[in-house]
Amino acid sequence: MTTRTRHPLQRAALTVTTALATIALIAGCASGIAPQASTGSDEPQEGGDITFLIDSLGATWIPNSSSISSYQGHVWGHVTDKLIYVDGEGELSPWVAESWEQNDAATEFTIHLKAGVTFSDGTPLDAAAVVANIDIWAKGAPDKGIARIGLFPSANYVGAEAVDDTTVKVTFSKATLSFIPTLAYHGSILISPETLALPAEEQADLSNDIGSGPFVVESWKEGDSVVLKKRDDYDWGPEALDHTGPAYLDSITYKIVAEPTLRTGSVQSGQADVAYNASPQELDALKDEGFFVSVPRYLGFVNGYALNVTAAPFGEEAVRQAFSHGIDRDEILSTVYTEDWHAAESFVQSNVPEATDHTDAFAYDPEESAQLLDDAGWVEGADGVREKDGQRLALTLYANPYLATSKAIDELVAQQLAEIGFKVDIEAYDVVTYGEKVINNKTLAATEITRSFVDIGTIPGVLTASNPGDEDWFKVGTSDATLNDLSAQVASATDRDSRAAVFDDLQQYVLEKGYFVPITQIVQRVYVQTPDLHDVTYNGLAYANYYTAWADR
Amino acid sequence: MKSPYARFALSRTAQAVVVVLLAYVFTFIVISVLPGDPVSSTLKSPDSGFTQDDIDRIIAYYGLDEPLLTQLWTALTRFLIGDFGISLRSNLPVSQLIAEALPSTLILATTALIVAIILAALIAWGTQVLPGEYGQGLLRALPSLFLSVPNFVIGLLLIQVFAFGLGLFRIIDAESPWSTFFAAVALGIPVSAQLAEVLIANLDHESRQEYVAVARSQGLRRTRLFARHLVKPSALPTITVLALIVGELLGGSLITETIFGRTGIGTLVQRAVASQDLPVLQAVVSLAAVVFVVVNLIADLAYPLLDPRVSLEHSLRSRDSDPTTEQPIRTTLQEEVSVI
C-alpha cells in the first residue's frame, strides 16, 4: 500500500488541479463572500486572530534545521528575534543588537546588545546566550544530528566570546564581510541556550523551543497546524518597523492546506486571512475581486541556469552565449507570470544592494545566437538540430521541484532554443529524486538555481573552487584566472564600497562568459490576503511579518 | 486439552504475527531500494547550502551509512520490543506521531463506514421496494456512478458547496463535527457503492428463491418481505466485503484527509513516503497489517454465528482432513492479504 502511493499521489495531485476548473464551473454558485471594503480607520486596532494557510510546515522543528525552510521560517519569524533586521532593499538595522562595529581587516566584530531582552521563559537574552547561538549556527552539533546553518560563514569562524553582559566579540580567520548581514538571515534566530542544549528529539518538539519573539507557541500539531499567541511584555521589535511594545494581533494560526485552490478558496470565502503560495495564474482574478496580493522578492540569486563548462555542449563559450541570447525572457514573464514579476538584470536580484544592471550581457537576440553557432561550426541538420563533428547540440533541463513554475519555464525555453538549433529535453522529478539525481551532480550540462542570501560575500564560494567546500557551480574550478581573481577580491574585501565596485565587474564577466544564464527575478513567496488586514511588513527574505499588522474588523 | 476455538485462535494469531513481520521487512526492502533518504534530501535543498562533508556527518549520526542489513536488524529488534524509533524527518518519536494521527483517522473511517452502510442499505432497499423506473433504473445506476467519480472530486465539490458556499464548516477546523461529516461522506460514497452492489446482487438472488415466491403469494408487502426475509441472508456476503472495505477506508483516507485538511494516518503516510521516512512507514504498515488482520479475524468469527451452515468445526475439519468437503465461503486471511 505505502510504497505504491508516491506516483498515484502525484498523478492525483495533477488531476486535482485539472479537475478544479470543471468544479469551479459546477459550483459557480459558491463564489463565497465578497471582501468588504475597509471601514476606513487608519489607526491600528488591538486584538484579532488571523489564520495563515500554508502548503506545508516542513520536516522538523529543530531550530537549526528548520529556520532556513521557506515554510517554518514564517513561524520562527514570529517566535524568535534576530540580532539585526534586513529590509527589502538589503538595508541592515538594529534589532536585538543595538549597534555593531568591526576592525579594519573585517575579521573581528563587536556586537552591543539591547539590555533587558528576555526569552519567553523569563531567562535573559544576554551575551552568553548570543555566544551559544552563534556557536551552534557556525558549527551545529553533528554528534546530536544537528546541522550547522547553511550559508553561515563557518569556514573562517574562529569563535565568539561574551565580553560583558551586553557585548559579544566574534572572530574570523579571514575577512568576513558577510558575517553581519548573515545575522539578519532567516537562519540566524536567537533561541534560549537551554533549548539548544536539548537532544535533537526534544528540540524537534516546537513547544520546547523557546525564543524571545513577539509571539509564543500556544499549541501545535505535527503536520497540521501551529497556533501562536501574543507575548504581552514584548518591547524590542526591529527599530526599522517603527512600532514598539507588543503586537496588535492576539493570535496567528498557521494551518496546512495542501491544495492551492482550497487555500485561496478559503480566503475568498472569508474562512481564512492569508493564503500562501497561490499560483501566478490565479493572482489577477483575486486582485480583481479585491484581495490583496503580495509578491515580495527576496535577496538572493535570480532564477536561472548555471551552465557546466565540463559538460557538452557548454565547454564552448560561443554555445553558452548562444544559449543565453536565445532565451526570450519577456515571453516567459508574460506567459508564465503576471506583471508582478520582473525581468532579471543580473544573476542576483535587483534589490541586492550591490546589484547593477547587466541586461545587455544576456539580452534576447536569436540572430546573434545563430551567428555565434554558425561561426563556431555548428551546422543545422535535417531535423533542425545543429551538429558539429557528429555531436548534436542537445542538453537536458531538470525542472526544479522547489519552484512550481519551473517546468513551464523549461518548456518555453526548450521551444525558444529549438528555433536556433538546440535540442532541449526536460525531466521533472519529485524533491527526493531531484536531490538524488540533480543536486550535486557534476555531470549535468545545466542546473536551475533558486537561492536566497543576505550578502554577496557568499557568492565567491559558489563561483569557483578556491576553498574546500566551495560549490563550483560552473565546474571551472580555478581554471579561469579572471573569475578567480574577481571572486577572491569579493571574498577578501574589507569594506562594502570597494567590494561593490569589484562585484560590478564580476557580474559583467560571469554573464558575458555565459556561465550563469538568468531567466527572471524570483518570487518564491506569494501571499493572498484579505483586505481588512493592514500594515503587514516583508523583510529582505520576503517573509510576511505580523508584528506590526492589525485587523480592521 | 485445547478446544477447537483455542486452536483456531492460536493459529490465526501466529499467522497474524508472521504477516505483520513480513509486511515490516517488505516495506524496509522496498524503501531501501528507492534513492535518497529524508536526511540528505532535506540537507540538499538548494536553500540550505551544505557541503557534502556536512551532509555525510549528519547521515553518519543517523546510521544511514550503515549496511542495509545492519539497519534492518536495528529496526527489527527495536520493533520487537515495541520501540518504533525516531522519525528521520521530524525527529519526533514515531509512537507519538501515530498516537496523534490515529484518532482522527479512526473517527473519519468509522463515520465513513456508517455513512457507507446507511447509504448502501438505502440504495439496496430502494431497488427492492421502489417501483421499477426508480428502483431498477436510477438506483441501480448509482453505485457505478459513485465508483466512477474520483474521491477527490466528490471532496472538492462538497467543500465548494458546503464550506465555501454555504459556510457549514471551515477547512481550518478540520476536526469539527460538520467537517468530519462531509469528509466521511466523501470517503464513504465510493465505499457505499461496493457495499450496495453486493447487497443488491444478494437481494436479487434471494428474491428469486422459492420461499420468497411463497411469501409473495401469501400477499406479503414488499417492505415486510425485505425486512423479514431478505435482509439476513443477503447480509452474509456483505460482511465479507465489509472486512475488505476497512482496508479501502485506510487507503482512501489519504486523499480525503489531504483535501479536508485533516491530519491522520493518511497524511502521515503521504509525508513519510515523500521523504522516505522509514521508521514511520514501517510503523504505519505494521499498524495497517494489525488492523487488517484483526478485522478479518472478527469477520471470521462472526460468520458462523450469522450462518449456522458455516460452523467452526466444519471450517477447521474441511481444511485439515477432507479437501473434498465444500469449502466455507469465507476466504482465509492469507488469501486476502496476498490479493492486496
Side-chain angles (χ1 to χ4, degrees):
Chain A
M1 167 183 114
T2 45
T3 50
R4 288 187 304 128
T5 29
R6 188 204 283 181
H7 296 295
L9 245 188
Q10 288 170 339
R11 273 205 303 276
L14 274 177
T15 331
V16 168
T17 325
T18 37
L20 277 169
T22 329
I23 287 171
L25 286 176
I26 302 169
C29 60
S31 59
I33 305 155
Q36 286 165 0
S38 148
T39 48
S41 164
D42 285 341
E43 273 304 298
Q45 294 173 24
E46 292 282 341
D49 307 280
I50 62 163
T51 308
F52 185 107
L53 303 183
I54 194 163
D55 358 3
S56 156
L57 283 172
T60 179
W61 286 105
I62 293 177
N64 256 29
S65 318
S66 60
S67 53
I68 57 170
S69 154
S70 173
Y71 300 117
Q72 295 103 309
H74 293 278
V75 173
W76 288 122
H78 292 96
V79 173
T80 64
D81 292 320
K82 298 179 191 76
L83 287 165
I84 292 173
Y85 183 79
V86 61
D87 68 12
E89 277 72 51
E91 185 81 33
L92 305 174
S93 56
W95 191 345
V96 173
E98 213 162 32
S99 63
W100 52 89
E101 62 250 15
Q102 65 191 58
N103 65 356
D104 289 343
T107 54
E108 256 184 43
F109 300 85
T110 309
I111 301 165
H112 303 282
L113 306 175
K114 265 182 206 160
V117 179
T118 55
F119 291 106
S120 59
D121 62 358
T123 55
L125 201 179
D126 54 11
V130 170
V131 168
N133 275 279
I134 295 178
D135 250 354
I136 199 102
W137 299 337
K139 299 180 200 161
D143 57 324
K144 287 202 277 190
I146 295 172
R148 66 183 183 86
I149 301 277
L151 298 190
F152 191 90
S154 298
N156 305 340
Y157 179 70
V158 175
E161 58 171 315
V163 178
D164 58 45
D165 267 4
T166 56
T167 315
V168 177
K169 201 168 97 180
V170 187
T171 317
F172 289 87
S173 57
K174 289 182 191 159
T176 309
L177 273 187
S178 65
F179 171 64
I180 292 291
T182 300
L183 299 177
Y185 190 58
H186 46 310
S188 311
I189 52 170
L190 295 164
I191 295 281
S192 146
E194 282 173 45
T195 301
L196 297 178
L198 294 174
E201 61 263 37
E202 287 181 44
Q203 288 193 32
D205 180 346
L206 183 60
S207 50
N208 290 335
D209 301 336
I210 303 299
S212 61
F215 289 85
V216 291
V217 177
E218 182 168 64
S219 65
W220 74 287
K221 190 176 170 199
E222 157 68 11
D224 180 73
S225 57
V226 173
V227 181
L228 306 181
K229 70 164 194 288
K230 158 161 78 175
R231 190 178 158 187
D232 290 323
D233 61 345
Y234 185 83
D235 194 23
W236 42 84
E239 285 170 22
L241 296 185
D242 203 21
H243 172 49
T244 52
Y248 298 113
L249 296 171
D250 287 335
S251 77
I252 311 171
T253 300
Y254 288 89
K255 163 76 186 166
I256 297 177
V257 174
E259 168 56 40
T261 49
L262 291 184
R263 288 198 297 275
T264 46
S266 294
V267 173
Q268 280 174 299
S269 61
Q271 299 202 344
D273 302 287
V274 187
Y276 187 56
N277 281 352
S279 88
Q281 282 78 23
E282 277 188 278
L283 298 182
D284 283 342
L286 286 162
K287 279 191 227 168
D288 291 345
E289 283 180 51
F291 293 96
F292 189 71
V293 173
S294 282
V295 285
R297 283 174 296 164
Y298 61 47
L299 302 163
F301 294 97
V302 298
N303 182 215
Y305 305 106
L307 302 187
N308 179 353
V309 301
T310 63
F314 292 132
E316 278 179 69
E317 189 175 324
V319 177
R320 296 197 301 270
Q321 288 167 342
F323 181 91
S324 190
H325 289 298
I327 297 173
D328 184 353
R329 291 155 185 93
D330 290 339
E331 191 189 6
I332 292 172
L333 283 169
S334 62
T335 312
V336 181
Y337 293 122
T338 68
E339 59 189 15
D340 298 306
W341 270 258
H342 301 283
E345 295 173 2
S346 172
F347 63 81
V348 294
Q349 306 259 81
S350 61
N351 51 337
V352 170
E354 293 86 354
T356 38
D357 191 338
H358 298 270
T359 314
D360 290 345
F362 57 94
Y364 176 54
D365 189 348
E367 281 105 46
E368 163 92 11
S369 291
Q371 191 63 48
L372 281 162
L373 292 171
D374 286 342
D375 293 349
W378 289 90
V379 184
E380 207 160 298
D383 57 353
V385 178
R386 289 176 188 261
E387 289 176 19
K388 179 181 172 181
D389 306 332
Q391 283 294 110
R392 278 158 66 82
L393 191 56
L395 71 140
T396 305
L397 294 176
Y398 297 86
N400 179 354
Y402 295 93
L403 186 70
T405 46
S406 175
K407 187 155 177 279
I409 292 175
D410 285 349
E411 282 163 358
L412 262 178
V413 167
Q415 277 178 32
Q416 294 166 356
L417 290 170
E419 284 165 26
I420 51 169
F422 276 91
K423 166 94 174 80
V424 182
D425 293 315
I426 295 163
E427 295 277 349
Y429 296 127
D430 60 284
V431 167
V432 176
T433 318
Y434 186 82
E436 195 66 21
K437 295 197 168 176
V438 180
I439 296 178
N440 295 339
N441 182 342
K442 295 177 174 54
T443 65
L444 303 179
T447 311
E448 199 179 316
I449 302 292
T450 60
R451 168 97 63 94
S452 63
F453 60 72
V454 263
D455 185 76
I456 57 162
T458 15
I459 290 178
V462 305
L463 299 186
T464 64
S466 311
N467 298 302
D470 280 355
E471 293 181 33
D472 195 13
W473 279 358
F474 322 121
K475 310 293 172 288
V476 287
T478 51
S479 64
D480 185 329
T482 315
L483 184 66
N484 258 5
D485 182 46
L486 290 170
S487 303
Q489 286 187 52
V490 168
S492 62
T494 53
D495 76 281
R496 289 184 74 159
D497 291 341
S498 66
R499 189 178 67 167
V502 183
F503 188 62
D504 184 42
D505 295 342
L506 180 62
Q507 291 173 75
Q508 184 71 19
Y509 186 75
V510 166
L511 294 166
E512 268 177 3
K513 280 287 203 178
Y515 290 141
F516 192 103
V517 178
I519 309 171
T520 64
Q521 301 217 31
I522 190 161
V523 172
Q524 230 180 345
R525 314 192 215 284
V526 177
Y527 305 84
V528 175
Q529 184 196 301
T530 60
D532 57 2
L533 189 59
H534 301 278
D535 293 346
V536 178
T537 54
Y538 299 90
N539 69 5
L541 285 314
Y543 283 98
N545 186 344
Y546 299 109
Y547 167 56
T548 51
W550 54 279
D552 183 14
R553 39 182 89 144
Chain B
M1 204 196 89
K2 286 174 182 170
S3 71
Y5 254 121
R7 255 175 74 205
F8 181 73
L10 213 69
S11 83
R12 281 291 151 90
T13 313
Q15 286 169 357
V17 171
V18 171
V19 168
V20 171
L21 283 179
L22 282 179
Y24 194 81
V25 174
F26 181 71
T27 323
F28 184 91
I29 292 167
V30 172
I31 299 293
S32 307
V33 171
L34 295 175
D37 60 78
V39 175
S40 56
S41 69
T42 309
L43 295 177
K44 278 180 180 174
S45 136
D47 231 11
S48 59
F50 289 104
T51 62
Q52 195 57 45
D53 239 29
D54 294 328
I55 297 172
D56 291 345
R57 277 162 71 197
I58 305 289
I59 282 180
Y61 166 80
Y62 286 100
L64 293 169
D65 55 348
E66 304 273 355
L68 281 185
L69 276 180
T70 318
Q71 290 187 41
L72 174 60
W73 180 248
T74 318
L76 208 54
T77 44
R78 271 197 195 147
F79 175 62
L80 288 175
I81 59 164
D83 173 7
F84 294 110
I86 304 281
S87 154
L88 293 178
R89 181 180 163 279
S90 68
N91 302 85
L92 293 166
V94 175
S95 49
Q96 180 191 334
L97 295 178
I98 289 184
E100 280 177 7
L102 197 55
S104 164
T105 303
L106 282 182
I107 292 170
L108 175 64
T110 313
T111 320
L113 191 61
I114 294 169
V115 168
I117 292 173
I118 293 174
L119 208 54
L122 281 176
I123 294 171
W125 170 79
T127 61
Q128 301 304 313
V129 302
L130 287 180
E133 69 264 39
Y134 299 108
Q136 307 304 321
L138 198 70
L139 282 179
R140 276 169 194 269
L142 268 187
S144 31
L145 177 73
F146 285 176
L147 274 179
S148 58
V149 181
N151 195 332
F152 64 83
V153 173
I154 300 174
L156 291 174
L157 259 176
L158 290 174
I159 289 172
Q160 284 289 348
V161 175
F162 294 101
F164 296 164
L166 302 175
L168 272 184
F169 67 99
R170 304 189 335 145
I171 293 280
I172 52 169
D173 299 330
E175 312 286 333
S176 70
W178 272 117
S179 207
T180 305
F181 171 74
F182 283 106
V185 170
L187 180 57
I189 281 179
V191 173
S192 78
Q194 297 179 25
L195 275 178
E197 280 189 337
V198 174
L199 205 51
I200 291 169
N202 284 291
L203 285 169
D204 289 349
H205 174 79
E206 291 298 328
S207 61
R208 285 193 296 271
Q209 302 299 310
E210 278 177 22
Y211 72 90
V212 176
V214 173
R216 274 217 187 97
S217 69
Q218 289 172 344
L220 208 61
R221 282 180 31 214
R222 277 182 181 176
T223 2
R224 273 187 90 80
L225 181 72
F226 177 83
R228 278 262 176 99
H229 298 285
L230 292 180
V231 168
K232 202 175 162 189
S234 306
L236 274 172
T238 316
I239 284 178
T240 307
V241 176
L242 261 178
L244 286 167
I245 278 172
V246 170
E248 177 138 335
L249 285 173
L250 286 177
S253 66
L254 164 56
I255 292 176
T256 312
E257 283 174 2
T258 307
I259 289 178
F260 282 83
R262 299 174 67 89
T263 309
I265 295 293
T267 41
L268 189 65
V269 169
Q270 184 211 354
R271 278 178 290 136
V273 170
S275 60
Q276 280 146 37
D277 196 343
L278 202 48
V280 173
L281 277 178
Q282 287 183 326
V284 176
V285 169
S286 315
L287 182 79
V290 168
V291 169
F292 214 80
V293 165
V294 168
V295 168
N296 277 279
L297 194 61
I298 293 171
D300 273 352
L301 296 176
Y303 216 80
L305 300 178
L306 280 164
D307 188 349
R309 285 173 299 177
V310 188
S311 70
L312 178 68
E313 294 282 345
H314 179 94
S315 117
L316 280 175
R317 244 199 329 262
S318 68
R319 204 169 321 139
D320 292 351
S321 54
D322 189 3
T324 58
T325 323
E326 193 195 359
Q327 290 286 329
I329 312 160
R330 173 98 191 115
T331 53
T332 62
L333 169 69
Q334 288 98 324
E335 287 162 41
E336 265 163 29
V337 170
S338 65
V339 167
I340 296 152

